[in-house]
Each structure stands twice: as structure tokens, then as C-alpha cells.
Amino acid sequence: NQSALSGYPPCILAALRCLAAALVFGLYSLRRGFRLDSREVVGSLMVGGLLLGFGNAGLLLAQQSVSPGLASILFASVGGWVALFSWLLGQPLKRSEWYGIGIGSLITLSVCVGTGGGASFGGVCALLMASVAWGLGTVLAYHLRLPHGPDALCIQYLGGVIWLIGLAYQRTEHVAAVPSLHSTLALIYL
């Protein structure tokens, strides 16, 4: 990500990645014949916007000002958000799932101890926003009517593109110069 971010602003980078994925899944779905109704489209756009738009964008924005160790710890909170949103929507987690969240959090903390905790307030907020969005999107994916297979993925990636372009516009992101070959190859690799 760091190599690609050296030539592309974060939201534009994420939007390009989502657009490429949407095109691949969209072409495959067109070949098979799209079978969607409006409720499925709206649900997929919401889930894609939360996971790929807010979740991915928050992570990319935070990577500019948060150490990798702290980013790991904060993004590991997704499990807790999934548990909270599941509980709020009437589906409490089993004891074994709570144990899994606890053990995973402890392992993440133990791995990241001593890795340096440099962070900006904005970066931490972006990471927390990303974690909350990813958790909510994960839970809503089970509660909303969504299409199956590549049809769902195409629309979800398009939802991410819409949110990311809006965020890039709001942040006044633009590609100032032709990105380096190294940055472009990193984008293609991602």
C-alpha cells in the first residue's frame, strides 16, 4: 500500500482498485445475465459503501499517520463492533465467539507491544471509523437482501467506488502528476 500511496491519493487509489474489481465481476455477471431487484441493489450498495468505501478509506487514510502496530490493534476491534451490532440487531454471540474475540484481541496486543505507537488524532479517528464501518457492514450483510455470487460483488464494489469518489472529492484529492511506474505497478499488484 505504501508504494501505491506514494503516487496516488488514498481515496482515489481505493476507488481505482474497487472499480477494477467491479469491472471484472460485472463482465462475468453480464455474461451470465444479471438477476437483481432494487432491494438487492440498495442492500449491496450499502454494504459495499460501508466495507469498501468507509472501511477501506479509513484504513488507507490512517496509514499515512499511524504506526503499523497501532493500526493493527485498532483495526482488530472489528470483531467487537460485529458483536455489538449483532447484539443490537437481536443476535447475541455465543460464549465461544466472545472467547474468540477476546483471544484474538490479546494476541494482537501481544504482537504489537513495543512496535511504536506513533499516531495522529485524525489517523486514530479514521481507523476507528473504518473499524466501526467494517463491523456494521459485516452484520448488515446478513440482515439485508443481497444477490449472490459475482452479482453481489460487482454492486458492492460499485458502492465502494461511489463512496470513495465522494470522499476523494470532499477531501479535494487529485493526482498532481503522472504517478511513477513503481506506484502504478503497486496499484496493479494490489
Side-chain angles (χ1 to χ4, degrees):
N1 269 350
Q2 293 300 331
S3 296
L5 284 170
S6 68
Y8 296 91
C11 296
I12 292 175
L13 171 67
L16 289 170
R17 290 170 53 192
C18 287
L19 183 61
L23 288 173
V24 168
F25 289 115
L27 290 172
Y28 182 76
S29 292
L30 281 174
R31 193 165 167 252
R32 290 186 25 224
F34 262 111
R35 295 175 289 282
L36 302 173
D37 66 32
S38 60
R39 285 178 51 199
E40 291 176 336
V41 170
V42 169
S44 288
L45 288 173
M46 286 176 58
V47 169
L50 285 166
L51 295 175
L52 303 165
F54 285 111
N56 195 13
L59 189 57
L60 285 169
L61 291 170
Q63 283 182 328
Q64 297 176 338
S65 62
V66 175
S67 70
L70 184 58
S72 300
I73 291 169
L74 289 174
F75 205 72
S77 71
V78 169
W81 293 110
V82 167
L84 175 66
F85 292 127
S86 294
W87 177 73
L88 289 173
L89 291 172
Q91 289 189 319
L93 272 62
K94 295 179 239 169
R95 187 180 310 214
S96 61
E97 293 169 319
W98 282 111
Y99 287 142
I101 290 170
I103 291 169
S105 297
L106 288 174
I107 290 170
T108 303
L109 283 170
S110 69
V111 168
C112 295
V113 167
T115 60
S120 71
F121 179 75
V124 170
C125 289
L127 265 172
L128 287 175
M129 176 204 69
S131 299
V132 170
W134 202 275
L136 181 59
T138 300
V139 171
L140 287 180
Y142 290 100
H143 291 277
L144 297 174
R145 184 171 165 185
L146 302 176
H148 299 285
D151 298 353
L153 294 172
C154 174
I155 302 300
Q156 287 173 8
Y157 277 110
L158 287 176
V161 169
I162 291 166
W163 285 104
L164 289 163
I165 288 173
L167 189 56
Y169 177 78
Q170 185 268 335
R171 290 176 35 87
T172 63
E173 285 187 0
H174 62 283
V175 179
V178 175
S180 70
L181 177 62
H182 183 71
S183 294
T184 304
L185 290 174
L187 167 65
I188 292 167
Y189 174 75
L190 292 172

